[in-house]
Amino acid sequence: MAVNRVPLLAGNWKMNLDHLQAIAFVQKLAWTLKDASHDFDAAEVAVFPPFTDLRSVQTLVAADKLSIAFGAQDLSMHDSGAYTGEISGAFLAQLDCTYVIIGHSERRTLHAEDDTVVAAKTAAAVKHGLVPVVCVGETAEDLEKHGPSAVPVAQLRTALEGLDAGADIVVAYEPVWAIGSGQAATPDQAEQVAAALRDVVREILGDEAATRTRILYGGSVKSSNIAGFMREPNVDGALIGGASLDVNEFSSIVRFQKHVGV
Ligand code: PEP
């Protein structure tokens, strides 16, 4: 992790926790981090609840002035209109969402989202003032055939095409084989791909964007392995699935700077 980028620890709840559970969770997370004297300026924390929780989380965060960011897990590539079931980026911006996850491997696999769809959604997020967390990553088969970087690099190139150099984005490198499998990549593997992804940001958006853009690692991150990833110069945080649903475990990940050797 480079000193000039504030690390981001982002919890992707997937389809877990209803709006009442979300309120209880975010309250407990805030208390736990406050009790532990967490420095929110030194490591940013964000949660990504289901759409139906967002208004409740927004209200709680505003009322209690919590330093916890939040975002959605997807958005429509369209602004408004006859798109039943879709959610516009404009609506998410109205709910004070800072971020939106785009191109998660579960969306790519279960909802057939290809790189063109991911690019359109990335552009829609930026248009509505949201920071897209653009997910890229190779399957086990890709890894065997092409090595670790080729597929995520190609995915990111398409996603970023057409963005302005000033676009505020986050990239999440999530090897598909590591998601929910309990088998995380090694810090070395994550660093190698993160460095290649930063080169893509540089090539398409320029030096300034490459220097400021945060690149996260995701895939079976836990409190016991986060420190290793965060020691890598091109890894600026993590996108966390399963472990983000346990307040104590997630808090411990967020407080990685307290772990030995970081
Ligand atoms: C994810 O779904 O983005 C993820 C990284 O999941 P997990 O941490 O459970 O592997």
Side-chain angles (χ1 to χ4, degrees):
M1 183 196 59
V3 277
N4 56 345
R5 291 188 289 269
V6 175
L8 172 63
L9 291 308
N12 173 17
W13 294 2
K14 313 194 186 198
M15 197 173 70
N16 293 292
L17 306 184
D18 64 30
H19 73 289
L20 297 175
Q21 293 169 319
I23 292 169
F25 185 98
V26 172
Q27 268 170 339
K28 192 172 172 201
L29 177 63
W31 294 334
T32 305
L33 290 171
K34 201 170 160 220
D35 277 357
S37 304
H38 176 64
D39 180 355
F40 289 89
D41 293 329
E44 184 183 356
V45 52
V47 294
F48 292 79
F51 287 128
T52 49
D53 299 2
L54 288 171
R55 173 66 175 151
S56 305
V57 171
Q58 175 204 24
T59 305
L60 172 65
V61 165
D64 291 1
K65 298 186 172 47
L66 304 181
S67 301
I68 293 178
F70 54 93
Q73 298 172 16
D74 184 33
L75 89 174
S76 173
M77 68 175 83
H78 305 289
D79 293 348
S80 64
Y83 302 103
T84 302
E86 297 276 287
I87 302 289
S88 168
F91 306 162
L92 300 177
Q94 283 285 9
L95 286 172
D96 297 335
C97 286
T98 302
Y99 298 104
V100 58
I101 293 173
I102 294 175
H104 190 279
S105 72
E106 287 149 21
R107 301 283 325 166
R108 290 179 189 263
T109 310
L110 304 173
H111 299 270
E113 291 191 6
D114 61 16
D115 290 347
T116 313
V117 169
V118 171
K121 290 188 171 193
T122 301
V126 172
K127 174 180 175 183
H128 292 294
L130 303 162
V131 179
V133 178
V134 182
C135 299
V136 296
E138 80 289 355
T139 62
E141 203 186 333
D142 294 332
L143 181 65
E144 211 175 285
K145 273 200 203 146
H146 311 289
S149 301
V151 167
V153 158
Q155 288 174 335
L156 187 62
R157 240 189 219 120
T158 310
L160 300 190
E161 263 163 30
L163 292 187
D164 288 340
D168 195 3
I169 60 162
V170 170
V171 177
Y173 167 53
E174 297 210 304
V176 181
W177 48 268
I179 296 178
S181 66
Q183 181 150 28
T186 64
D188 246 25
Q189 286 171 318
E191 170 60 19
Q192 192 191 326
V193 180
L197 295 173
R198 196 172 301 287
D199 287 343
V200 173
V201 177
R202 182 172 295 106
E203 173 194 318
I204 298 179
L205 301 179
D207 280 342
E208 190 273 330
T211 304
R212 83 176 134 75
T213 295
R214 289 173 294 180
I215 298 181
L216 315 183
Y217 166 75
S220 298
V221 168
K222 301 178 278 213
S223 59
S224 56
N225 62 18
I226 183 69
F229 293 110
M230 297 309 295
R231 283 190 200 104
E232 299 296 339
N234 283 292
V235 177
D236 307 310
L239 183 56
I240 303 125
S244 76
L245 293 168
D246 178 313
V247 172
N248 293 326
E249 176 68 1
F250 187 48
S251 303
S252 181
I253 293 170
V254 170
R255 297 177 59 249
F256 73 92
Q257 283 155 328
K258 301 288 176 221
H259 298 199
V260 182
V262 180

